[in-house]
Amino acid sequence: MPGQALSLFTDFFTHTTGPAYLTGPDVVLNDAQLRNFEGLDAFMRTKRSVQGGASIKDMILLDDPGTAATYQPGEQASISNIQGGNTLTVNWRFIRVYITWTEAEILLNQQGVNSRSAMFHQFKKLKSFKYQQGYTSLLNLIEKLLFAGANNGNMEASAGTEPYSVFASVTDDGLAPSGFTTVQGINPTTKTKWRNQTASYTASTPFDSSNGIIAGFDEISQLVTFKRPPSAKEYFDSEEFRSQWIATNREGRMMYMRAIRANNDITRAGPQDPSYGSPVFNNVPVRAAEALDEQSSFSAASPDYLFLNGNHFKMIFHDQKFMQVSQPMVFPDKPDTTVVWVDTYANLFNSSRARHGYLNAT
């Protein structure tokens, strides 16, 4: 019976394991995907799940309370209870994709199937292709959103629909992006510690030793390095290079590779090999995110570089809504069509702007 075939496939789709990300090329070669998912890969490595709450919140200390002082024995002390914390607030954002199939697809895929194992194989191929389509659209979108231009109405406003992008909290001047007053609820104009680090290099002479790309890397890398004091270490953060990565576009990565090559008497990758296939700076990988090729700030011949710290820049997911697959749905106006939703509650959360850097081409 036709209805029975549709029911069998629906049960198969629902009760067998789906992919974690994009399905492999065993069904269809996937040229619809982006060339790479550098942002998604980096942020997913440090992702964090939280349970519920109307928004994502955290506390940060941005001001020295100034309560330490020298004194003379017996001197009267002046004491006040300082309330110095600031609350970071990020709203949940909702991202979903639908996967559909029709009764006709199931019946046509049954043509020539004359055994239970053959039917299982046909169902598996069709299910994989359906997931491949849906996850390609979903993950392409998330990668692009990570590097989208900052938009106050869509990102900072509570009624917005887009998650924060990197550019909503890492800017070329360290202040709020154009059109923003606050970043995650805090105004960096008045809170100077709520600013990312900035430096620049000269785009017209990118390979120059004193003001080129490598010199800019030297400067920004020192600005984003933090070390603990020798005592009371549990109250301080020490950040060097272990959790950092440098994001740029394809041209920016190639320009950095050329800068290394220009100094290859001391930065040789291998004898007679002019390629630097995995360029690093102080063991920090320099990655080319395809989504950055579309950013106007990364214009031709003057790409920028983002120094990002994975310990303090994370994708936050709702623990019950991370790539959650819904139950199959059939609607009265399309009785031969079944729909499944893959739903995610998430946002990009920056817990310390001071630990990220923006190297700007001037």
Side-chain angles (χ1 to χ4, degrees), residues 88-238:
L88 303 173
T89 304
V90 170
N91 295 295
W92 287 109
R93 293 297 189 241
F94 313 100
I95 309 168
R96 66 187 179 187
V97 68
Y98 61 85
I99 300 172
T100 66
W101 58 89
T102 65
E103 188 173 57
E105 285 181 288
I106 307 306
L107 292 176
L108 294 175
N109 266 275
Q110 281 190 284
Q111 297 295 327
V113 173
N114 53 17
S115 71
R116 184 177 182 87
S117 62
M119 179 180 293
F120 179 88
H121 181 68
Q122 288 295 93
F123 280 1
K124 184 177 179 181
K125 285 178 63 178
L126 183 57
K127 178 186 177 181
S128 295
F129 180 65
K130 292 295 183 179
Y131 263 122
Q132 187 177 32
Q133 285 183 303
Y135 275 65
T136 296
S137 179
L138 179 64
L139 299 180
N140 281 357
L141 175 62
I142 293 176
E143 178 73 14
K144 291 177 180 179
L145 289 173
L146 287 173
F147 293 107
N151 184 299
N152 182 67
N154 283 337
M155 296 177 185
E156 182 81 356
S158 59
T161 58
E162 292 185 9
Y164 273 98
S165 72
V166 169
F167 294 105
S169 61
V170 179
T171 63
D172 60 2
D173 60 4
L175 298 172
S178 176
F180 287 61
T181 301
T182 62
V183 176
Q184 296 182 186
I186 298 176
N187 189 338
T189 300
T190 56
K191 295 293 184 181
T192 59
K193 293 293 186 179
W194 188 236
R195 298 177 185 176
N196 60 266
Q197 309 299 331
T198 61
S200 63
Y201 76 94
T202 304
S204 59
T205 56
F207 312 133
D208 186 271
S209 60
S210 60
N211 60 8
I213 293 173
I214 294 178
F217 278 29
D218 285 338
E219 182 178 0
I220 205 82
S221 64
Q222 294 186 64
L223 293 173
V224 296
T225 300
F226 290 76
K227 291 187 176 181
R228 292 185 177 96
S231 59
K233 293 182 179 181
E234 65 271 27
Y235 301 112
F236 297 84
D237 291 306
S238 182

Side-chain angles (χ1 to χ4, degrees), residues 240-256:
E240 296 186 45
F241 291 100
R242 289 185 298 274
S243 57
Q244 292 182 349
W245 61 292
I246 301 168
T248 185
N249 63 355
R250 187 165 60 249
E251 183 183 23
R253 189 169 185 264
M254 289 190 297
M255 286 183 67
Y256 178 64

